[in-house]
Amino acid sequence: MQCWYMSGAGNDFMVIDGRGLTLDYAALAKRLCAITGADGFMAVDHSDVADFRLHFYNSDGSRGEMCGNGARCICKFAYDHGIAGQTMTVQTDAGLVPGWRLGPDLYKVKLNNPGSLDLSRRPDCAYAELGDPGVPHGVRQIPGLTWDMADRLREEAVSLRFAPEFPKGANINFYDWVDETTVRILTFERGVEDYTLACGTGCGSTAAVLWAAGKLPGGKLTALNRGGTLEVTVEGDDTITAIYLQGPAETLKTMDV
């Protein structure tokens, strides 16, 4: 079986073409992610309602509703392999996700609108769930956040990830402002149970929380992740009507597994 190792701003994935195959994806996710230390596993499948179906699993074998960086990578995979054109729609567990090829290694997707958005789920942490059911995220500002604070914040990240206020568990996004439209962000992901170099739905959730709090009046956010920069655009008047995520998507290598 061929497998493609892909990266979206440092968020890395093992990807296969699963069309017409019957496979134990959970077991395959654990085995393939262990080869490279990838954050997640993705398989393309047939769909009756979209150009193709995305099956997404975390590296521990747990199924994920959706993944923003993964969606951009799977769009590149689909275009490069003739599965879809430059504009496409992906079926995910969180709903349909439109995607666009902007360049050879540059892709944009429309993230699912928030199924839940609660600025005071905890006194110290907002909550956003993109999709319904969606990807759960806690969002907390850490004044003066820098990358070298990751180990110092690990215990807090784990505690929030399993907090009772987040019944499905949650990815935890720490952020702080760099300027009025730019944040530095550090995400601890459930299923990976560690920090990742970038999280697309985490950046989208952070932008949604800031927009809802009136802190993102222009609707555009630049998110600086350890693995790369992602651009998020939030649209809406009284409620959010669209969230777009744009950034790099690359194929690092192909391997037989």
Side-chain angles (χ1 to χ4, degrees):
M1 176 189 297
Q2 274 199 313
C3 180
W4 288 262
Y5 181 41
M6 303 188 72
S7 172
N11 207 183
D12 55 348
F13 312 95
M14 301 295 274
V15 182
I16 67 166
D17 185 348
R19 293 175 297 171
L21 303 178
T22 300
L23 300 167
D24 182 346
Y25 286 145
L28 198 56
K30 290 190 283 187
R31 181 170 71 85
L32 294 185
C33 289
I35 296 172
T36 59
D39 299 319
F41 163 82
M42 298 188 291
V44 170
D45 201 354
H46 295 295
S47 171
D48 295 330
V49 296
D51 290 291
F52 57 93
R53 178 83 162 90
L54 167 62
H55 298 287
F56 179 82
Y57 286 79
N58 297 301
S59 59
D60 68 353
S62 60
R63 190 172 178 100
E65 297 87 352
M66 216 284 280
C67 174
N69 288 323
R72 290 186 305 98
C73 286
I74 212 69
C75 285
K76 175 178 172 58
F77 181 88
Y79 177 82
D80 289 349
H81 292 83
I83 299 170
Q86 298 201 51
T87 299
M88 63 200 83
T89 303
V90 188
Q91 181 186 358
T92 77
D93 287 3
L96 298 179
V97 174
W100 297 267
R101 179 181 186 266
L102 305 179
D105 295 321
L106 183 64
Y107 281 75
K108 179 174 76 171
V109 295
K110 181 181 181 295
L111 299 176
N112 306 104
N113 291 336
S116 177
L117 184 55
D118 185 349
L119 300 183
S120 55
R121 177 63 62 91
R122 286 175 53 105
D124 60 346
C125 194
Y127 180 78
E129 192 169 321
L130 302 186
D132 187 15
V135 184
H137 283 274
V139 178
R140 180 175 183 184
Q141 184 175 9
I142 302 292
L145 178 69
T146 59
W147 306 138
D148 61 8
M149 293 170 65
D151 286 341
R152 197 184 326 164
L153 292 168
R154 183 177 298 275
E155 184 176 345
E156 182 176 352
V158 173
S159 176
L160 287 171
R161 180 257 184 271
F162 291 103
E165 293 87 349
F166 307 142
K168 298 199 301 183
N171 302 284
I172 303 302
N173 305 278
F174 296 131
Y175 79 92
D176 195 24
W177 293 98
V178 175
D179 59 40
E180 60 184 11
T181 60
T182 305
V183 295
R184 179 174 291 108
I185 187 165
L186 180 65
T187 302
F188 188 94
E189 289 201 39
R190 63 169 190 163
V192 178
E193 306 309 334
D194 203 349
Y195 294 108
T196 55
L197 294 180
C199 179
T201 55
C203 292
S205 295
T206 300
V209 165
L210 294 175
W211 184 92
K215 298 178 180 180
L216 198 66
K220 293 186 180 299
L221 182 71
T222 298
L224 307 180
N225 299 268
R226 285 192 293 180
T229 299
L230 297 172
E231 303 291 341
V232 184
T233 301
V234 182
E235 295 180 353
D237 293 320
D238 297 327
T239 60
I240 293 173
T241 57
I243 304 175
Y244 296 95
L245 175 72
Q246 177 178 318
E250 304 171 276
T251 300
L252 303 179
K253 62 181 177 180
T254 305
M255 61 189 79
D256 293 317
V257 295

